[in-house]
Amino acid sequence: MPPMRILPAKSDADVRLGVPGDKSISHRAVLFNAIAQGGATVHDAGLGQDVLSSIRCMRHLGIHFEVADRLIRIHGQGMRGLTASAAALDCGNSGTTARLISGILAGQPFRSVLEGDQSLSRRPMRRIAEPLRLMGAQVLGDTLPLTIQGGSLRGIEYQPDVASAQVKSCILLAALFATSPTTLIEPLATRDHTERLLQAQGVQVDLDLPRITVHPPSELHAVDIQVPGDFSSAAYWLVAALVSPGASVHVSNVGINPARIGLLEVLREMGAQIEILNPRTVGGEPVADLLARHSELRGASIGGAMIPRLVDEVPILSVAAAVANGTTTITDAAELRVKESDRLAAVAAGLTRLGVQVQELPEGLIIHGDASLDGGETLETYGDHRLAMSWAVAGLAAKKPVTIDDAECVSISYPSFWADLERFNGQ
Ligand code: S3P
């Protein structure tokens, strides 16, 4: 795909959109149903490259999937039904695939090798290797490629150093295969899709937060899942509406799990007009329609327990902060350095190119908003989908067109992003 040129927003855009199914929930629907007993159907799954990586790995482990449009049919083989893969399991760009599947592989009586693309191969895996070793698995490597010889596991009590839903989920999945219960103590609350789905599959998960205890089941029930739209994808349209004069965007059917919508709360604090319409529960997850209107924004301070609640939204929040009046300070966000790219460095570099005054901190950013962005520049994505989409929204708010070097990478989480941008901006 050639570089993408984004023109400043047409005024008065008034758009209704739906976004792809939630990536985190889609991964879990695929992986957990693969080790459940019986068939399950996942409706409205997000079929970006990352979720396809989870499906690909599970196919190599002997699970049969039918994938059509937004529907996935999974033929689960039970907790002991996976078979060893002769080839290395390719996790692509997907940290969620690598970390969650490692928890499952730690409980299997065979050896597996996990590999990934250049970005994923740089990302830290010691955070999962260490607890899996404590549980009794042999794990070679602290980055990909990772070799896991699984087998009989013991339950542990463990407090990870980092607040990470991927690390938590890896341990809770390995816990299914242990001979005694496992308790995980979360340093800060992170998304709880794993706990919700395991409970729906009949696993006893005790929540005495921040302590989460999994009691090993004899099997998991297969469950059909209706996946809500991904708040992390809706986030681009919320901010697009806020920064485009006269604009309003209605995004239907979006997951509003409290652990995921930190951005919505922060934007409202910044002065954003965002309405939560028609709240309901779908498949054990809270869902609503979201309506955002162009708003004058002011700066905010964000850190601590808020960070895990908007961990994937820091790039798009930074774009909102750049067009806000006043200073926005983001702290406690060191994890951003080990995402698909170093998002603190990448955001600082991109906003600087757009004429924004930004200070990069070891664990955060200080952004001096000045209401308008220059544009006329090419921005780098470093192959990171969330940067590509954030820069597209920055382009809407800029005075001159912005070019995005790698447009293709949006397919990781949101393959139809450019088509939806065309609907927003008619370009
Ligand atoms: C995810 C957890 C988060 C998030 C990622 C998806 C998940 O990662 O950034 O996009 O589905 O569990 P960390 O656990 O590394 O914070």
Side-chain angles (χ1 to χ4, degrees):
M1 195 180 273
M4 192 65 71
R5 195 156 174 268
I6 311 296
L7 304 178
K10 281 194 185 163
S11 54
D12 299 338
D14 179 8
V15 189
R16 295 179 80 88
L17 287 165
V19 288
D22 186 277
K23 181 158 85 71
S24 289
I25 297 174
S26 299
H27 276 294
R28 288 159 174 81
V30 161
L31 296 171
F32 301 9
N33 272 314
I35 56 164
Q37 237 173 8
T41 304
V42 183
H43 300 268
D44 292 330
L47 286 173
Q49 293 300 321
D50 267 12
V51 174
L52 293 176
S53 289
S54 281
I55 294 176
R56 181 175 59 241
C57 288
M58 274 298 173
R59 280 187 168 141
H60 276 284
L61 293 164
I63 302 300
H64 181 58
F65 291 88
E66 292 151 69
V67 181
D69 199 15
R70 291 152 69 114
L71 207 90
I72 310 174
R73 180 85 189 143
I74 306 162
H75 300 266
Q77 293 298 315
M79 284 177 60
R80 283 151 200 93
L82 299 179
T83 51
S85 169
L89 301 168
D90 177 9
C91 302
N93 189 246
S94 174
T96 309
T97 303
R99 297 198 176 112
L100 269 59
I101 215 167
S102 293
I104 294 173
L105 294 173
Q108 307 304 314
F110 52 75
R111 187 170 155 279
S112 304
V113 178
L114 292 175
E115 58 182 29
D117 71 4
Q118 245 184 24
S119 150
L120 185 58
S121 301
R122 280 194 299 266
R123 297 179 66 185
M125 295 294 156
R126 184 199 282 269
R127 53 183 63 191
I128 56 160
E130 226 168 60
L132 293 179
R133 286 173 191 139
L134 287 174
M135 295 178 83
Q138 287 174 41
V139 183
L140 274 178
D142 286 327
T143 52
L144 298 192
L146 214 59
T147 301
I148 301 177
Q149 172 63 58
S152 155
L153 303 179
R154 56 187 164 268
I156 56 171
E157 178 165 314
Y158 193 76
Q159 175 157 21
D161 295 334
V162 285
S164 157
Q166 293 178 357
V167 171
K168 168 175 66 175
S169 302
C170 172
I171 297 168
L172 299 185
L173 284 166
L176 299 173
F177 299 91
T179 49
S180 53
T182 289
T183 297
L184 178 125
I185 303 145
E186 275 210 284
L188 290 174
T190 64
R191 65 192 68 190
D192 61 355
H193 308 301
T194 290
E195 297 89 307
R196 287 176 191 246
L197 184 50
L198 287 179
Q199 284 177 332
Q201 294 185 286
V203 179
Q204 187 185 338
V205 181
D206 298 338
L207 301 174
D208 177 18
L209 301 175
R211 298 170 67 85
I212 303 168
T213 300
V214 164
H215 298 264
S218 52
E219 284 294 352
L220 269 62
H221 309 313
V223 289
D224 292 343
I225 294 166
Q226 174 68 47
V227 182
D230 197 326
F231 180 83
S232 295
S233 298
Y236 302 103
W237 305 121
L238 300 181
V239 176
L242 298 177
V243 302
S244 304
S248 69
V249 177
H250 178 281
V251 194
S252 58
N253 191 36
V254 183
I256 54 162
N257 181 312
R260 295 289 299 279
I261 58 163
L263 175 77
L264 198 154
E265 291 169 27
V266 169
L267 288 173
R268 279 178 162 176
E269 207 183 295
M270 292 170 76
Q273 301 174 65
I274 305 176
E275 286 176 57
I276 299 179
L277 305 172
N278 191 18
R280 54 206 185 263
T281 301
V282 178
E285 290 275 350
V287 172
D289 307 322
L290 302 176
L291 175 63
R293 291 194 185 83
H294 173 66
S295 308
E296 294 293 326
L297 301 176
R298 49 185 178 270
S301 286
I302 302 123
M306 180 53 85
I307 297 298
R309 299 183 58 225
L310 48 65
V311 66
D312 291 334
E313 284 66 71
V314 170
I316 190 63
L317 171 62
S318 301
V319 171
V323 289
N325 290 303
T327 299
T328 293
T329 307
I330 302 172
T331 50
D332 307 318
E335 274 296 297
L336 272 286
R337 295 207 181 274
V338 291
K339 293 293 180 188
E340 287 85 327
S341 67
D342 176 343
R343 288 182 177 158
L344 295 182
V347 165
L351 289 184
T352 301
R353 283 216 151 174
L354 291 170
V356 180
Q357 264 193 54
V358 192
Q359 205 180 325
E360 185 183 339
L361 309 172
E363 302 197 350
L365 293 166
I366 300 175
I367 299 166
H368 300 282
D370 65 357
S372 74
L373 307 174
D374 294 342
E377 293 283 347
T378 294
L379 298 181
E380 285 180 66
T381 67
Y382 307 93
D384 183 334
H385 55 135
R386 300 212 185 276
L387 287 171
M389 294 185 277
S390 299
W391 295 149
V393 174
L396 295 174
K399 285 181 255 174
K400 285 181 265 167
V402 163
T403 303
I404 292 159
D405 68 338
D406 170 16
E408 174 63 34
C409 63
V410 302
S411 67
I412 291 293
S413 62
Y414 196 162
S416 57
F417 177 79
W418 299 117
D420 286 348
L421 181 68
E422 203 172 310
R423 291 185 54 201
F424 181 85
N425 214 24
Q427 33 180 294

